[in-house]
Amino acid sequence: MAMQLIECVPNFSEGRRQDVIDEIVNCFKGKRGVYLLDHRADEDHNRLVISLVGVPAPIQDALLEAAKVALKHIDMNAHQGGHPRIGAVDVVPFTPIKGISMEECIALAHNFGERYYKETGIPVYFYEDAAKRPERKRLEVIRKGQYEVLKDEAKTNPDRKPDIGEACLHPTAGATVIGARKFLVAFNVNLNTTDINIAKKIANTVRASSGGFCHVKGIGLALEERGITQVSMNLVDYEKNSLYRVLEMIRMEAKRWGVQVIETEVYGMIPVNAILESAAYYLQIADFDPAQVLELQLLDLMGEKAE
Amino acid sequence: MAMQLIECVPNFSEGRRQDVIDEIVNCFKGKRGVYLLDHRADEDHNRLVISLVGVPAPIQDALLEAAKVALKHIDMNAHQGGHPRIGAVDVVPFTPIKGISMEECIALAHNFGERYYKETGIPVYFYEDAAKRPERKRLEVIRKGQYEVLKDEAKTNPDRKPDIGEACLHPTAGATVIGARKFLVAFNVNLNTTDINIAKKIANTVRASSGGFCHVKGIGLALEERGITQVSMNLVDYEKNSLYRVLEMIRMEAKRWGVQVIETEVYGMIPVNAILESAAYYLQIADFDPAQVLELQLLDLMGEKAE
């Protein structure tokens, strides 16, 4: 059987004390099946964002180890920072990458949440696809008022009680939001016009909030230094709303205003399938199998050897 | 430093005796840094083709081990089969995949050839990009007349003397052709016409032999059962003649005859960059870096851990 791979981007409420940052990051190093892609500590946000890919079981073990470090060192009553947060370990999203379905990632989030509460005593809210209440799909609903407000409301308002744990937050570590979500692709399309209204109108036609594609978020922006405008998007489900389909729609709408796409930008990481699907469309490749890609077959073989 | 990866597809002159086939194939199993993608033994050809990817040093060690098995069991004087051949280990091509240049692959082929002769006593011819004489770029020139003719001509005709070794072949193992070449991509384009002349005319416009792209080989074929025709191609340098450029040329030529491309086919393996480059063209992605592809970054990280 091919290796199962997930992505996980845990966020910790510590972006200033280097020793604490190092101790947390070290939990993800030198572990079989855990691959640390990136970590960024932001002093203003006072927040640490870690990007991991790997096999579900060892990723979860490492997360628990890191959570215990955070629990030891971070007191939410003393924490200040520019980014909304409710806990020392603020958010833990699991994303399916390979050989694992969204349903399995949701089950994984739920099981991990139980174990997490048992081993750390930190209560858990579930969000996105793992939400147990529909309104909790949205992180901002769970985090409303942040730690300072939630620590009281969790006790008094049943709508704000954690999904796992008693009706109160942990006295120092607050609570943790655990969930499952698809991989988010940041995709920007630049237009050869300075007229920001055109970029905004086009953003309107493609984004879900104004009736476009169901899994696209987007805004129109001016890139003033370059004298151009941009449709800046997040594709929150690249399988349902693929890059080529979104781009062709923008090209079509741009024509109406006598405007052209001058370039696009994929910002940050992208799963290979998001690119392969668009390549297969434009190249009209019938029955293309990602296993035909040499590097992907090699990844499977390496995964088998590493087990 | 990122891991160096090569592909190697050694061909052995044994496709019938299962015990010998197994003993050769086993040399490529369970070795750190050596990944066996595929192996196919053909009884009619009496030939074994093995596809490997991996790190240069362990691949070379495993090749030598396998060559010694072939040397022990295969006698070219008794060998019969439908595929042209001159030796027990017939061809060993090295192909750069990742973190290694063609120049480095050529040097690797030359060094390996020296060591190979020293350890096995089998003389070596260099071909393709590693050829030491221009006419030996082409495998068919080296293999002309096959083992039966070459074993005499190597002694008498200076033009047929091996690049490494005395002016005679090994008495049982013949000689081995070692080289470096780019990855060959098999790319077929299907047309909605039954007129094979159109497919042939289009093949003529794109292939090197009739003045088209320098690194494209191609023919026009009828797929009679399906009632369509095909431009069947080998892209022998997908970096210089990329898929999208070849396809767009075919689409343009097809228009002239009122014909359309109905689908394309990538046959067998393809390196990810061949796909990424075409995707970046059609999606107009500026400054796309393959390191943005999650699975490729993971491959690097796994490679580092495996070292």
Side-chain angles (χ1 to χ4, degrees):
Chain A
M1 197 195 73
M3 164 178 59
Q4 285 195 323
L5 284 178
I6 56 169
E7 192 209 25
C8 185
V9 186
N11 286 219
F12 297 85
S13 291
E14 179 57 68
R16 294 175 188 168
R17 289 175 294 170
Q18 195 59 47
D19 55 335
V20 178
I21 292 166
D22 290 344
E23 199 177 335
I24 293 172
V25 172
N26 282 338
C27 298
F28 302 104
K29 288 184 177 167
K31 298 232 161 55
R32 178 174 286 212
V34 178
Y35 300 92
L36 179 62
L37 294 180
D38 189 31
H39 66 277
R40 284 175 206 205
D42 186 298
E43 289 202 11
D44 294 331
H45 288 180
N46 198 5
R47 192 175 182 85
L48 171 65
V49 179
I50 296 178
S51 294
L52 307 167
V53 184
V55 180
I59 289 243
Q60 292 174 77
D61 292 344
L63 283 168
L64 268 166
E65 198 182 318
K68 287 168 190 170
V69 173
L71 181 60
K72 189 171 65 185
H73 293 296
I74 302 171
D75 181 353
M76 291 307 293
N77 304 293
H79 182 273
Q80 291 193 311
H83 195 288
R85 77 286 178 272
I86 60 167
V89 184
D90 196 49
V91 194
V92 181
F94 296 102
T95 297
I97 295 294
K98 192 167 181 307
I100 185 167
S101 67
M102 177 51 83
E103 289 62 40
E104 290 171 296
C105 258
I106 293 168
L108 185 159
H110 289 159
N111 291 334
F112 179 71
E114 296 284 352
R115 182 177 163 207
Y116 180 86
Y117 177 65
K118 205 173 288 172
E119 294 194 23
T120 65
I122 304 170
V124 171
Y125 295 85
F126 292 114
Y127 85 127
E128 289 272 0
D129 290 16
K132 299 226 170 183
R133 302 183 182 198
E135 72 277 12
R136 291 191 180 168
K137 276 189 181 295
R138 295 175 56 212
L139 188 55
E140 54 272 38
V141 169
I142 299 170
R143 276 202 304 223
K144 194 177 167 202
Q146 300 191 50
Y147 172 72
E148 289 74 9
V149 169
L150 187 59
K151 70 176 172 178
D152 295 326
E153 294 198 351
K155 295 177 187 166
T156 55
N157 182 349
D159 287 343
R160 304 216 68 190
K161 182 183 175 296
D163 289 304
I164 298 182
E166 301 302 310
C168 71
L169 302 193
H170 187 282
T172 56
T176 297
V177 190
I178 296 174
R181 60 166 169 76
K182 297 217 173 173
F183 197 99
L184 187 152
V185 174
F187 185 48
N188 300 324
V189 176
N190 294 344
L191 306 170
N192 65 347
T193 176
T194 53
D195 185 348
I196 192 171
N197 287 320
I198 292 174
K200 286 183 173 178
K201 276 178 190 157
I202 294 174
N204 271 339
T205 66
V206 293
R207 73 184 178 196
S209 65
S210 36
F213 292 107
C214 283
H215 305 281
V216 174
K217 298 177 180 181
I219 51 171
L221 291 174
L223 303 186
E224 287 180 11
E225 281 185 20
R226 298 186 57 191
I228 58 175
T229 48
Q230 180 178 82
V231 181
S232 177
M233 291 171 289
N234 278 328
L235 311 185
V236 298
D237 187 339
Y238 67 82
E239 288 172 311
K240 292 204 176 113
N241 299 161
S242 46
L243 274 73
Y244 76 84
R245 215 174 291 141
V246 174
L247 175 61
E248 289 302 323
M249 180 64 69
I250 291 175
R251 283 178 175 153
M252 188 186 82
E253 292 294 327
K255 264 190 214 163
R256 175 175 182 173
W257 313 104
V259 163
Q260 281 187 309
V261 170
I262 47 178
E263 65 182 23
T264 73
E265 176 189 29
V266 171
Y267 187 82
M269 304 295 285
I270 185 167
V272 76
N273 283 341
I275 294 280
L276 294 182
E277 209 207 344
S278 285
Y281 170 79
Y282 287 113
L283 292 170
Q284 280 185 268
I285 311 176
D287 303 321
F288 185 70
D289 180 353
Q292 290 177 257
V293 177
L294 189 72
E295 288 83 352
L296 299 183
Q297 202 173 118
L298 186 58
L299 190 64
D300 266 345
L301 291 171
M302 279 194 173
E304 283 167 23
K305 276 204 184 177
E307 307 264 306
Chain B
M1 196 192 73
M3 164 180 56
Q4 285 194 323
L5 284 178
I6 56 170
E7 193 210 26
C8 185
V9 185
N11 286 218
F12 297 85
S13 291
E14 179 56 66
R16 294 174 188 166
R17 289 175 294 169
Q18 195 59 48
D19 55 334
V20 178
I21 292 167
D22 290 344
E23 199 178 335
I24 293 172
V25 172
N26 282 337
C27 298
F28 302 104
K29 288 184 178 169
K31 298 232 160 56
R32 178 175 286 213
V34 178
Y35 300 93
L36 179 62
L37 295 180
D38 189 31
H39 66 277
R40 284 174 207 208
D42 186 299
E43 289 201 10
D44 295 331
H45 287 181
N46 198 4
R47 190 175 182 86
L48 170 66
V49 179
I50 296 178
S51 293
L52 307 167
V53 183
V55 180
I59 289 243
Q60 292 174 78
D61 292 345
L63 282 168
L64 269 165
E65 198 182 317
K68 288 168 190 171
V69 173
L71 180 60
K72 188 171 65 183
H73 292 297
I74 302 172
D75 181 354
M76 290 309 292
N77 304 293
H79 182 272
Q80 292 193 311
H83 195 288
R85 77 285 177 273
I86 61 168
V89 184
D90 195 50
V91 194
V92 181
F94 295 103
T95 297
I97 295 293
K98 192 167 181 309
I100 185 167
S101 66
M102 178 51 84
E103 289 63 40
E104 290 171 297
C105 257
I106 293 169
L108 186 158
H110 290 161
N111 291 334
F112 180 70
E114 296 284 353
R115 183 177 162 206
Y116 181 85
Y117 177 65
K118 204 172 287 171
E119 294 193 24
T120 65
I122 304 169
V124 171
Y125 294 85
F126 291 115
Y127 85 125
E128 289 272 0
D129 290 16
K132 299 226 170 183
R133 303 183 182 201
E135 73 276 14
R136 291 192 180 167
K137 276 188 181 298
R138 294 174 57 212
L139 187 56
E140 54 271 37
V141 169
I142 298 170
R143 276 202 305 222
K144 196 179 166 201
Q146 300 192 50
Y147 172 73
E148 289 73 11
V149 170
L150 186 60
K151 69 175 174 179
D152 296 326
E153 293 199 352
K155 295 178 185 163
T156 55
N157 182 350
D159 286 344
R160 304 216 68 188
K161 181 182 177 298
D163 290 304
I164 298 182
E166 302 303 310
C168 71
L169 302 194
H170 185 282
T172 56
T176 297
V177 190
I178 294 173
R181 60 166 170 76
K182 296 217 173 175
F183 196 99
L184 186 151
V185 174
F187 186 48
N188 300 324
V189 176
N190 293 345
L191 306 171
N192 65 347
T193 176
T194 54
D195 185 348
I196 192 172
N197 287 321
I198 292 175
K200 285 183 174 176
K201 276 178 188 158
I202 293 175
N204 271 341
T205 66
V206 293
R207 72 184 179 196
S209 64
S210 35
F213 292 108
C214 282
H215 305 281
V216 175
K217 299 178 179 179
I219 51 171
L221 292 174
L223 303 185
E224 288 181 10
E225 280 185 20
R226 297 186 57 189
I228 59 174
T229 49
Q230 180 178 83
V231 181
S232 177
M233 293 171 289
N234 279 330
L235 311 184
V236 298
D237 187 339
Y238 67 82
E239 288 172 313
K240 292 202 177 116
N241 299 161
S242 47
L243 274 73
Y244 76 85
R245 215 174 290 141
V246 174
L247 175 60
E248 289 302 323
M249 180 65 69
I250 291 174
R251 282 178 175 153
M252 188 187 81
E253 292 294 327
K255 264 190 216 164
R256 175 176 182 173
W257 313 103
V259 163
Q260 282 188 307
V261 170
I262 47 176
E263 65 183 23
T264 73
E265 177 188 29
V266 171
Y267 188 82
M269 303 294 285
I270 185 166
V272 75
N273 283 341
I275 294 279
L276 294 183
E277 208 206 347
S278 286
Y281 169 78
Y282 286 114
L283 292 171
Q284 281 184 268
I285 310 176
D287 304 321
F288 186 69
D289 180 353
Q292 290 178 258
V293 177
L294 189 71
E295 288 84 352
L296 299 182
Q297 201 174 118
L298 186 58
L299 190 64
D300 266 346
L301 291 171
M302 279 194 174
E304 283 168 22
K305 277 203 184 177
E307 308 261 307

